[in-house]
Amino acid sequence: MEIKELLKKVAEGTVSVDEAVLELKKAPFEDLGFAKPDYHRTVRQGVAEVIYGAGKTPDQIEKITRSLMEHGQKTVLITRMSKEAAEYVSTKISATGQKFQYDSCSKIGIAGEIPKPDGLGKVVVATGGTSDMPVAEEAALTAQALGNEVVRIYDVGVAGLHRLLSHAEELMSAQVVIAIAGMEGALASVIGGLVDCPVIAVPTSVGYGAAFEGLSALLSMLNSCASGVSVVNIDNGFGAGYMASMINHISEKES
Amino acid sequence: MEIKELLKKVAEGTVSVDEAVLELKKAPFEDLGFAKPDYHRTVRQGVAEVIYGAGKTPDQIEKITRSLMEHGQKTVLITRMSKEAAEYVSTKISATGQKFQYDSCSKIGIAGEIPKPDGLGKVVVATGGTSDMPVAEEAALTAQALGNEVVRIYDVGVAGLHRLLSHAEELMSAQVVIAIAGMEGALASVIGGLVDCPVIAVPTSVGYGAAFEGLSALLSMLNSCASGVSVVNIDNGFGAGYMASMINHISEKES
Amino acid sequence: MEIKELLKKVAEGTVSVDEAVLELKKAPFEDLGFAKPDYHRTVRQGVAEVIYGAGKTPDQIEKITRSLMEHGQKTVLITRMSKEAAEYVSTKISATGQKFQYDSCSKIGIAGEIPKPDGLGKVVVATGGTSDMPVAEEAALTAQALGNEVVRIYDVGVAGLHRLLSHAEELMSAQVVIAIAGMEGALASVIGGLVDCPVIAVPTSVGYGAAFEGLSALLSMLNSCASGVSVVNIDNGFGAGYMASMINHISEKES
Amino acid sequence: MEIKELLKKVAEGTVSVDEAVLELKKAPFEDLGFAKPDYHRTVRQGVAEVIYGAGKTPDQIEKITRSLMEHGQKTVLITRMSKEAAEYVSTKISATGQKFQYDSCSKIGIAGEIPKPDGLGKVVVATGGTSDMPVAEEAALTAQALGNEVVRIYDVGVAGLHRLLSHAEELMSAQVVIAIAGMEGALASVIGGLVDCPVIAVPTSVGYGAAFEGLSALLSMLNSCASGVSVVNIDNGFGAGYMASMINHISEKES
Amino acid sequence: MEIKELLKKVAEGTVSVDEAVLELKKAPFEDLGFAKPDYHRTVRQGVAEVIYGAGKTPDQIEKITRSLMEHGQKTVLITRMSKEAAEYVSTKISATGQKFQYDSCSKIGIAGEIPKPDGLGKVVVATGGTSDMPVAEEAALTAQALGNEVVRIYDVGVAGLHRLLSHAEELMSAQVVIAIAGMEGALASVIGGLVDCPVIAVPTSVGYGAAFEGLSALLSMLNSCASGVSVVNIDNGFGAGYMASMINHISEKES
Amino acid sequence: MEIKELLKKVAEGTVSVDEAVLELKKAPFEDLGFAKPDYHRTVRQGVAEVIYGAGKTPDQIEKITRSLMEHGQKTVLITRMSKEAAEYVSTKISATGQKFQYDSCSKIGIAGEIPKPDGLGKVVVATGGTSDMPVAEEAALTAQALGNEVVRIYDVGVAGLHRLLSHAEELMSAQVVIAIAGMEGALASVIGGLVDCPVIAVPTSVGYGAAFEGLSALLSMLNSCASGVSVVNIDNGFGAGYMASMINHISEKES
Amino acid sequence: MEIKELLKKVAEGTVSVDEAVLELKKAPFEDLGFAKPDYHRTVRQGVAEVIYGAGKTPDQIEKITRSLMEHGQKTVLITRMSKEAAEYVSTKISATGQKFQYDSCSKIGIAGEIPKPDGLGKVVVATGGTSDMPVAEEAALTAQALGNEVVRIYDVGVAGLHRLLSHAEELMSAQVVIAIAGMEGALASVIGGLVDCPVIAVPTSVGYGAAFEGLSALLSMLNSCASGVSVVNIDNGFGAGYMASMINHISEKES
Amino acid sequence: MEIKELLKKVAEGTVSVDEAVLELKKAPFEDLGFAKPDYHRTVRQGVAEVIYGAGKTPDQIEKITRSLMEHGQKTVLITRMSKEAAEYVSTKISATGQKFQYDSCSKIGIAGEIPKPDGLGKVVVATGGTSDMPVAEEAALTAQALGNEVVRIYDVGVAGLHRLLSHAEELMSAQVVIAIAGMEGALASVIGGLVDCPVIAVPTSVGYGAAFEGLSALLSMLNSCASGVSVVNIDNGFGAGYMASMINHISEKES
């Protein structure tokens, strides 16, 4: 119920003053519009809803997933999901005739259909090495579940520049690039210098010694000498995929 | 000259094999398309070119600026420019009948016209406190010089939530928000939870003691529990403004 | 025996000089009043005594607990207690006809009765996420065992501000608030700006990557731009509960 | 105007629906009570209002100060105020017949009267060394300006335990203690073990080498083995004084 | 063979020039006196030799131990020795009719007799808490094995000052004190202020959160405001015991 | 007055009970013997008293110095003394017919006579480079003022091992060695392996880049693989000189 | 196919323009010479190819190894190889009649023949302690597999200088020295001062407490006061062996 | 005098035993060959000797320089030399008819002739930006003064890859490359992947915010994913030039 409607009813006498006060207290934020409107749009339109799987029991995940789907959600994305949870949820969801797929590399589970891409263009996910793949797949599957066409370019670390440059055309056709690397994290700068679209950099904890669990790559990416590069937390593939999808779905706002 | 054209001429005999080899060696990157195409587009279209003023002499800055303007550049943005350099450049540029303006707070100089906004929507620049203003103005003027409408919302730190929330409408009408804060850097998370557009977070070195020159705000922003937030280097207003402009100018790519 | 009494007896000749010297050497601090008077008061009044369970054997814990209860202690609080210790102590204590309860989430054990709240008002325990619950319950149960009414407001992280604001009334009715959060730790600042009572901030080690085991939240909370916020060690729920209880039990001192 | 009043007028027809919507939009937070009520109480009661002087011009400080006093504020506290600002403000304020005093050690300025102490008891401010005095005076004068009786015990570092212990009676008569120390910061733990009231610990940047600008004292205080100790930012005397005053003014809340 | 003897024999012709060159090359350092003379004295006098047990197999430890004892070593100290190694070595050593004792708390093994104390006075080993005991016993047993009388004062952390002060006489009778503490490490400063002998401070990794594996205690001890305190590595009980023994065995050198 | 004397007088009736209580309250620590007895001995024997000059005015330093000397102190050591303070104090002290000397390198001032060495042996002060000299002289002059014979071996960094080894005899004749080095701080380990006496290691802030203001040398020295090495704070020459003097003056205690 | 050849064929008409464009697109980097020429030389000459074993399955390692050997590779070096992988690969490779050896200390596997040394001189691998051996063997076996004569000098830490100096001749005959040490990492500086050839320093994570997983040794080595020392990552034996081999195989380049 | 000669003379009786002992004591290291032989070779051959100018007075520098030149040194390199020192030394040296040149960018002074290059090939010095030039010139001039042909490739940061790649031929013709960069330090990895010669990486303190005075670049370079890269201290251009020269002058050793 909108504020204006509520006030009209108060004016008409169909809602008492006390009932109106109660209503305003109970849900002041939705009414006043401070809640993320995206939430409502998402639910209405069936775009993917996200569950952070870490620290939730298989049973909890399954219940939230089913509830969401029963309320019209067509795609449910579950991140940091254990194999055990995936097996449990898979059995339960399949029994209801719905699809469920699990990627053990990225620990991503997806219930329902992966939507058709409806973004402005492609999201390119590039990694420095093969060890960065779990983070990369978290980013890629997140972006796919949120309605993006994803192009994967893996193992193109800057120490073998020719491997990266042989993908120059794919990189330059991207709407947004997610650059994922551990160790010295130089990939973000090199890609940032090659492309003319936003680059989301994801440092990974890949490496040893002075890599200090991703700190080296993180600092490196924050200090990128290329313009148009911004950074998310170490190993945060989901955050990068989400941000990339947001950018890839931008549309002109009415002023 | 395109590769294909070159090869045709080789096939036709109008270019010798040795000349072709030389040509490929001399400029392999432009020809093969690895140079940032943005560069060429920028120069052709008169969009702002950027000069990093720190460590350059007034004379060097003036020469580059004039050279760019003589080659058709309509707006030249100069960051981290000292007052001395600004005075020198101002005198010289004005003598040629061109405009020059300098903002001593952000140390931004702009030669030529600030272009009319041609982005998808508005860029909102929000700060936690008034001390964050130099960084905020660097971001705002960068965005303006790159063709964006900018809305400034300053001094809306999270400890006085009502100040921030009273700007909720402006925040929610943004195409992209730049959230700038020092100390605990919580602004990025709070804004990230309020809006449905990308948020570029800029930690500042404002604060003392355990703020550790911006480290506290930086870590805070990287760990934001809100989705759709990415981070640039401490005090990097320019980087945020550039990234925001990139996002605000996104258009569908031909596949 | 008080110093004055002792001296009187020396003056009367009922205590020899050497005996008096010995007495003063043996227990100079209790006599002179440097020992924490709270200790004596606590024992006399039956308020909860605390045992730090980590690194103690089940048998040791049980022995100390029983000894305390035999000397009149009505409530014994045991922190960081393993499940094994809890089972052992439970069996032993129950056999004596006393109550024993264990909370596996916070690893808190309580022998005897939880006292009726006798503080000035309510202690509100708020958390940013559900993963902060073990620390929150350590704080909450500590406060309860020390005689405080506790209100729990969990999972009200700043990225979903409406969730926090819908609890505004409870927050504002608190005598003291314990704000518990990991990752960017912004909760303390936001609550600090909403309420007019002291806020004890507890950073938690929840998070990954640049959260650096709680360092990010710790720095964030120390740099809070809200007045009236102070901080305890990472994951130190007990310390926050104890401090909150102290504040909630303040009474005018005779000068 | 209260929400209920507003709704009644809507029901009565004396306020139109659109006017009511506007009213709710314009000032939702005051109406809903999310603004810090302390603010209103403070203004009404003439308790000290605080201005953070760093980064404000003498003229700005003077204007805010005068405005506050004209609106009934009896005491205005200005922290981190430069000598130049103090001289300027002093001249201007004195010209209006009001008092102004400045302490160059702590850089605290106080316009108007320092209120009579109306707290529950005394606030004791203790320091490890004489070099901690600027921070200590910031804490002490803040507490005094907020209506607290303050007892100063300076230069009682733990390496000369007898100096500290000779103040045992004063320490034990405190309602709240502010323990201020640089270097190894042990003072907070030792005092925490002596007293039965809350201790606010303030690490200072006093020291050299491995003191790392206050980091050593900060970590030390966070790890205090004494219960009832919480910590504020390095050199944050104001924060400690404010927190101490809050605790010293606690009164039972109506439930 | 001494250099002078060797040269005499060269002069006498009983050693050829080439043999002498060989001799000088083979063992130039013992001859020239750069090897630690202590080594020779130790072997001759039967004072304890030390084996660092970590990373050595039970068999290796046993072989070195037996070899040392066969060459006249009366006491062999083995640090960081696993229970498995201790059992193996115990069986083997006992079979030769020699004593072997193992302390599972400190992981110290001692083969042969513990020598009678022959130092100048007593070594006092004090700890802040009971969790510091493994480090303390490493220090204490090391000192004992090297011929020192050791007094243990455990669990006298500064938060309960009366416990520490009740041992004032023992502390003040020490020739050297080893102060061992984790968390805030304040014990070293407090003891350093009480006694008039050298204090060796040992930070321990006891604690959690901002204790950062002993870093907090380490910094605290390095910044001790008491004179006469020096520090060894985190958890380095052996190093402290060795240093203390060195100091306790000092005797006037002939100039 | 001793406790026993006091009690006797109470028993005799020459001191009333209330007077005795007062006496015990007023000075409980000296009487009970918790104050550092070294203090009293020092004053009686005329050994050097120390003033920390940093943060004290020339006038304050002069007053304390003169007061000490008037009470029988033969040597007063002033550390971290500015040139200005030295000039002021020099004029004043000289006017009284006393000696005053100032070393501008170490910023050490010494009023009165430097005592004749009365330690067990020599204190050797060794440095890695010439830039470590200010710290070295602080250590050396401190030791001299406290009654030690000092041997200086400067600029014997480990990269030119022959320079160090050519001083092997002097090193090995030391009662205690102070090893001072910045950058990689390896000097402590190398000397620790050469000598059979205690080594006090002093890291200095000499170096650049990854020396991180002395952190590199500090960590290096704490991790020394040589036994018998302990460490003081970065640049703390005074602390090392004091500790060395303490060790060099050790004498058998009566048990 | 070389560019020139390709262009000639275009000129001759034996390759069409489109085929040539395709060819240039497909492999622009090899053709233009940006790929590491070393790669080609390596394959042609049968010098060791390297596989990073960590994170690869036994099956993957075996397949890559066999493929390389079938293409003429005479030596295949596998680093960070698990025992399981080694057993699997060993069985498979042996079945083809090829040699396979595995070193469980360094986790290095070598398929095929270790080539005869063909470098300019010897590579000396020196370690501070026996615990550094896994890193040292990784360096040594890498160097051997790349065609270098390796001399091992282990356990020559600087605390026992005579051990190191007794190897002076071997050290001084080296073409390049790899200095490997944990804890205080002083070995690099001491060796750097003794020899006149390049020194590659490898910090190891050996140590505890303030060694901080190799950070102490890393900083120490970066700050080496000896010239001619450069550093690789913590525990990076392979990197040091590779760099040393590169230096040991240098030959004059034609200009 | 060689040991063998000495011993022969002892055998012949022309040197007494006591004289020989004295000789061995006085200069054991030169005789035994532990002194850096490079030193002697250098002096004999007139290759550049190096003076570290920081912390030396103009007069000291001038005296050492002249002394070296009088003993046959043809080139004297002075690093970190102030402008004042340069002017003083220039006047004095010129007066003796010798050359002196000073580069104010790198603060390098060179007295005498710069020798003709006599290395195996070229040393390439590459930088990421123009701000890295002071460090780069320190490296380049050091290498030149030590007899190397130097090729400078400046401002080829990885964000503009085409600039770097357009120098591919020069890079690949290098005997050794010095890669100098601040901020994200990615240059070392990219060059390391392009060339087949050793790369010496020099992190610089260029940058701001999360560059943390060169730490970001340092970590990045240590974690380089390219083989054949080793690192020197932040801003240590001299160290890199010296190491590069050593590698460029390698010659086969006689075994």
Side-chain angles (χ1 to χ4, degrees), chain D residues 228-245:
Chain D
V229 176
S230 65
V231 186
V232 297
N233 195 4
I234 297 164
D235 289 337
N236 189 5
F238 165 72
Y242 190 98
M243 181 83 173
S245 177

Side-chain angles (χ1 to χ4, degrees), chain E residues 46-51 61-62 64-70 72-79 81 86 89-90 92-94 96-103 108-115 141 145:
Chain E
V47 176
E49 187 68 9
V50 187
I51 301 169
I61 294 174
E62 189 268 333
I64 305 173
T65 305
R66 214 176 43 199
S67 158
L68 283 165
M69 300 188 85
E70 283 165 2
Q73 188 72 26
K74 294 216 178 72
T75 321
V76 178
L77 176 72
I78 306 143
T79 64
M81 189 185 202
V89 173
S90 179
K92 290 275 187 172
I93 296 291
S94 305
T96 68
Q98 295 273 11
K99 273 195 186 172
F100 179 83
Q101 50 195 293
Y102 179 69
D103 174 58
I108 289 267
I110 299 175
E113 299 288 339
I114 293 186
L141 291 172

Side-chain angles (χ1 to χ4, degrees), chain E residues 119-126 148-153 164 167-179 191-192 194-200 228 244 247-249, chain F residues 37-38 41 246-247 249-255:
Chain E
L120 294 169
K122 294 173 202 160
V123 173
V124 167
V125 179
N148 299 277
E149 183 184 348
V150 172
V151 177
R152 288 157 171 87
I153 308 181
L164 176 62
H167 291 283
E169 254 172 288
E170 282 155 294
L171 281 167
M172 290 172 60
S173 73
Q175 200 71 22
V176 56
V177 177
I178 298 174
I191 289 182
L194 286 176
V195 301
D196 64 339
C197 69
V199 175
I200 313 297
I247 294 172
N248 193 33
H249 282 85
Chain F
D38 190 37
R41 187 175 54 82
M246 229 178 204
I247 294 173
H249 283 85
I250 268 180
S251 61
E252 209 160 334
K253 289 211 172 177
E254 315 149 36
S255 57

Side-chain angles (χ1 to χ4, degrees), chain F residues 142-225:
Chain F
T142 295
Q144 287 179 317
L146 294 167
N148 299 276
E149 183 185 347
V150 172
V151 178
R152 288 157 171 87
I153 309 181
Y154 290 175
D155 198 17
V156 289
V158 300
L161 214 50
H162 54 290
R163 292 180 304 180
L164 176 63
L165 293 180
S166 67
H167 291 281
E169 254 171 288
E170 281 155 295
L171 281 168
M172 290 172 61
S173 74
Q175 199 72 22
V176 56
V177 177
I178 299 174
I180 300 172
M183 300 196 292
E184 90 272 64
L187 190 67
S189 290
V190 172
I191 290 182
L194 285 177
V195 302
D196 63 339
C197 70
V199 175
I200 313 298
V202 192
T204 71
S205 52
V206 168
Y208 61 90
F212 293 127
E213 309 292 311
L215 178 63
S216 171
L218 171 62
L219 293 182
S220 189
M221 286 169 167
L222 284 167
N223 284 290
S224 174
C225 48

Side-chain angles (χ1 to χ4, degrees), chain C residues 117-124 143 146-150 173-176 198 241-251, chain D residues 198 247 250-253:
Chain C
D118 59 355
L120 295 168
K122 294 173 202 159
V123 173
V124 167
L146 294 168
N148 299 275
E149 184 184 348
V150 172
S173 73
Q175 200 72 22
V176 57
Y242 190 98
M243 181 81 173
S245 177
M246 229 176 203
I247 295 172
N248 193 34
H249 283 85
I250 269 181
S251 61
Chain D
I247 294 173
I250 269 180
S251 61
E252 210 160 332
K253 289 210 173 177

Side-chain angles (χ1 to χ4, degrees), chain H residues 160-244:
Chain H
L161 214 51
H162 55 290
R163 291 179 305 179
L164 176 62
L165 292 180
S166 67
H167 291 282
E169 253 172 287
E170 282 154 292
L171 281 167
M172 290 171 61
S173 73
Q175 201 71 22
V176 56
V177 178
I178 298 173
I180 300 172
M183 299 197 292
E184 90 274 61
L187 190 67
S189 290
V190 172
I191 290 182
L194 286 177
V195 302
D196 63 339
C197 70
V199 175
I200 313 298
V202 191
T204 71
S205 53
V206 168
Y208 62 90
F212 293 126
E213 308 293 311
L215 178 63
S216 170
L218 171 62
L219 293 182
S220 189
M221 286 169 167
L222 284 166
N223 283 289
S224 173
C225 49
S227 299
V229 176
S230 65
V231 185
V232 296
N233 195 3
I234 297 164
D235 290 337
N236 189 4
F238 165 72
Y242 190 98
M243 182 81 172

Side-chain angles (χ1 to χ4, degrees), chain D residues 110-229:
Chain D
I110 299 176
E113 300 286 340
I114 293 185
K116 290 219 173 127
D118 59 354
L120 295 169
K122 294 174 201 158
V123 173
V124 167
V125 179
T127 73
T130 48
S131 325
D132 301 316
M133 236 179 84
V135 179
E137 281 303 307
E138 188 181 290
L141 291 172
T142 294
Q144 286 179 318
L146 293 167
N148 299 276
E149 183 184 348
V150 172
V151 177
R152 288 159 172 86
I153 309 180
Y154 290 175
D155 198 17
V156 289
V158 301
L161 214 50
H162 55 291
R163 292 178 304 178
L164 177 62
L165 292 180
S166 66
H167 292 281
E169 254 171 287
E170 282 155 293
L171 281 168
M172 291 172 60
S173 72
Q175 200 71 23
V176 56
V177 178
I178 299 174
I180 300 173
M183 299 196 292
E184 90 273 62
L187 189 67
S189 289
V190 172
I191 289 182
L194 286 177
V195 302
D196 64 339
C197 70
V199 175
I200 314 298
V202 191
T204 70
S205 52
V206 167
Y208 61 90
F212 293 126
E213 309 292 310
L215 178 63
S216 170
L218 171 61
L219 293 181
S220 188
M221 286 168 167
L222 285 167
N223 284 289
S224 174
C225 48
S227 299
V229 176

